[in-house]
Amino acid sequence: RTLGLATSDLALMAPAQIASAIQRRAAAAGYHLVIAMQSGNDAAATINELLAQRVDGLLINLPLQAEEAQQIQALCAAKPVLFLDVEPQAAVAQCQYPNHHGARAAVEHLVALGHRQIGLLNGPERSVSARQREAAWHQALADHQLTPHCSLRGDWSAQSGYQALLAQLPNALPQALLVANDQMALGAMRALHQHGVAIPGQISVIGYDDTAESAWYQPPLTTVRQDLQQLGVLSVEQLLARLQGESVSDEALETTLVIRETTA
Ligand code: IPT
């Protein structure tokens, strides 16, 4: 009995921690897990790798537009498939955190602290969740008659966050920075430390994910928590329920704001 997981780059913290939770939960249920990590942009090739190994069901943690996800679902024919990073309007089974709630909560937190000049460090344009977080930030800022002080972009990695901030540093910094994931926040904070900018004294930083490392940043990171462990467990349980023809509980996943020491 085998499950398949198609995942985005496991060098990234969030997908790695989700995969770890999936592997454990699958093993506890007596299932072997086959993992296919996407290298290029060809999701179908990654899925076909799993199908060739005769998996009984598939979990797909790849950023997908609605149409791409529907095509993949068709490719998997009768096998149960569950998507973890897909446009919510897609007509496919999904298990994911609503990006707009978390992104809005981050803005509300900064505004409540009195910040008006708020900058963005966005995720990669091709990522559906990055685009959703960005759109929700814009909407929440607009609701407070604010526009982004600056709009930077990275590729989810710490290095890209570091470079984005280094490029911004000669210019005026915002009072607060919304970052689309914790890894980019790590790099951004490194650049700020290097230039003697006090966190949170001169700039507040808020991340997104709450990976296992985020409580150990210096200072510990305020962030929007997606419980990645819970996401992994729940996705396996939902897939297994579908495999066994049971009804699936549509337990809603909710992000929570974790206030630590990078915002004031
Ligand atoms: C999403 C993470 O929030 C982000 O940090 C990055 O790792 C990305 O995955 C990689 O695709 S979480 C995903 C389940 C939406």
Side-chain angles (χ1 to χ4, degrees):
R1 303 193 298 171
T2 307
L3 300 182
L5 167 65
T7 179
S8 40
D9 194 354
L10 289 172
L12 292 172
M13 295 294 185
Q17 289 171 17
I18 294 166
S20 165
I22 288 174
Q23 154 82 52
R24 268 176 227 272
R25 185 62 188 89
Y31 278 82
H32 178 64
L33 184 72
V34 183
I35 298 180
M37 189 176 98
Q38 185 164 335
S39 40
N41 256 334
D42 191 353
T46 312
I47 310 300
N48 277 323
E49 250 179 70
L50 294 176
L51 291 173
Q53 303 191 59
R54 301 175 182 282
V55 296
D56 299 300
L58 296 91
L59 297 166
I60 318 284
N61 184 15
L62 301 173
L64 296 169
Q65 323 247 37
E67 205 171 290
E68 297 172 305
Q70 284 153 209
Q71 282 162 6
I72 285 173
Q73 178 152 279
L75 191 66
C76 297
K79 292 188 178 172
V81 193
L82 189 61
F83 292 82
L84 278 64
D85 189 5
V86 64
E87 284 183 310
Q89 72 268 25
V92 297
Q94 353 185 327
C95 181
Q96 52 189 351
Y97 285 94
N99 283 293
H100 55 278
H101 282 159
R104 174 169 290 273
V107 171
E108 296 299 337
H109 174 57
L110 296 178
V111 169
L113 288 169
H115 299 305
R116 308 286 298 168
Q117 291 164 18
I118 299 176
L120 312 182
L121 175 44
N122 299 301
E125 221 154 2
R126 63 179 157 68
S127 158
V128 171
S129 17
R131 291 203 302 270
Q132 287 180 349
R133 289 171 201 173
E134 192 176 341
W137 282 338
H138 279 272
Q139 185 57 57
L141 289 170
D143 291 347
H144 292 279
Q145 288 79 49
L146 298 174
T147 52
H149 175 271
C150 58
S151 208
L152 315 175
R153 193 176 294 284
D155 66 4
W156 295 129
S157 70
Q159 183 183 358
S160 72
Y162 176 75
Q163 283 165 343
L165 260 283
L166 279 193
Q168 176 65 21
L169 265 158
N171 311 307
L173 286 175
Q175 298 166 324
L177 188 66
L178 290 158
V179 188
N181 80 338
D182 291 357
Q183 273 186 280
M184 292 194 296
L186 178 64
M189 285 167 63
R190 168 81 187 129
L192 293 165
H193 289 316
Q194 207 173 298
H195 284 74
V197 181
I199 307 166
Q202 290 168 273
I203 187 170
S204 285
V205 176
I206 183 163
Y208 206 110
D209 277 341
D210 197 25
T211 55
E213 290 70 28
S214 305
W216 307 100
Y217 287 19
Q218 181 55 32
L221 185 67
T222 294
T223 189
V224 175
R225 176 170 170 80
Q226 314 192 79
D227 187 332
L228 304 172
Q229 173 73 30
Q230 187 193 9
L231 176 64
V233 167
L234 199 66
S235 63
V236 172
E237 288 174 355
Q238 290 191 352
L239 188 67
L240 291 180
R242 302 236 329 263
L243 255 175
Q244 288 147 11
E246 294 162 9
S247 66
V248 179
S249 70
D250 50 353
E251 191 182 323
L253 289 166
E254 284 296 336
T255 53
T256 48
L257 182 66
V258 180
I259 300 174
R260 295 199 183 97
E261 295 172 34
T262 54
T263 48

